[in-house]
């Protein structure tokens, strides 16, 4: 991923992510899918989610060029992404000269 573009990791505490998944009434969001996300292992969803995130978090961080707090207001998240894109574009342009 890093070789072919910029990777932005939207971070949030596991508890926040779990809340968001519990509040999600359909998959994919917006309807048309299953009523709830299924467990990957058939076990306790909360424990499973925590274990999966513990494994994946270092991988997500390693892949990311930039991390943004996804618990911020949506407008602030968008501003941070746009700022990162502008900075990245400037860096690319400067190295091409």
């Amino acid at each position: 991923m890093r070789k072919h573009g910029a990777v932005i990791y939207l971070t949030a505490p596991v508890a926040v992510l779990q809340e968001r998944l519990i509040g999600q009434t359909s998959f994919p969001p917006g309807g048309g899918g299953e009523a709830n996300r299924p467990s990957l292992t058939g076990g306790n969803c909360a424990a499973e989610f925590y274990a999966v995130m513990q494994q994946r978090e270092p991988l997500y961080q390693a892949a990311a060029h930039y991390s943004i707090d996804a618990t911020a207001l949506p407008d602030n998240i968008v501003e941070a992404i746009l700022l990162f894109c502008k900075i990245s574009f400037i860096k690319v342009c400067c190295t091409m000269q």
Side-chain angles (χ1 to χ4, degrees):
M1 288 188 304
R2 290 180 64 90
K3 291 180 185 177
H4 300 289
V7 179
I8 300 173
Y9 176 34
L10 301 177
T11 64
V14 172
V16 171
L17 297 174
Q18 284 179 319
E19 255 183 60
R20 290 177 180 177
L21 287 173
I22 289 168
Q24 184 176 312
T25 57
S26 63
F27 182 77
E34 297 296 319
N36 292 303
R37 289 181 180 240
S39 165
L40 298 173
T41 62
N44 177 287
C45 287
E48 177 183 273
F49 185 78
Y50 181 78
V52 168
M53 286 305 297
Q54 290 286 32
Q55 292 174 343
R56 292 181 182 176
E57 180 74 19
L59 301 173
Y60 294 158
Q61 289 179 1
H65 291 96
Y66 189 60
S67 295
I68 298 173
D69 178 6
T71 63
L73 294 172
D75 287 347
N76 294 347
I77 295 170
V78 171
E79 282 182 35
I81 292 170
L82 291 174
L83 179 61
F84 171 75
C85 291
K86 287 176 186 176
I87 291 168
S88 296
F89 180 76
I90 291 168
K91 285 181 182 178
V92 169
C93 289
C94 289
T95 60
M96 295 175 79
Q97 295 178 2

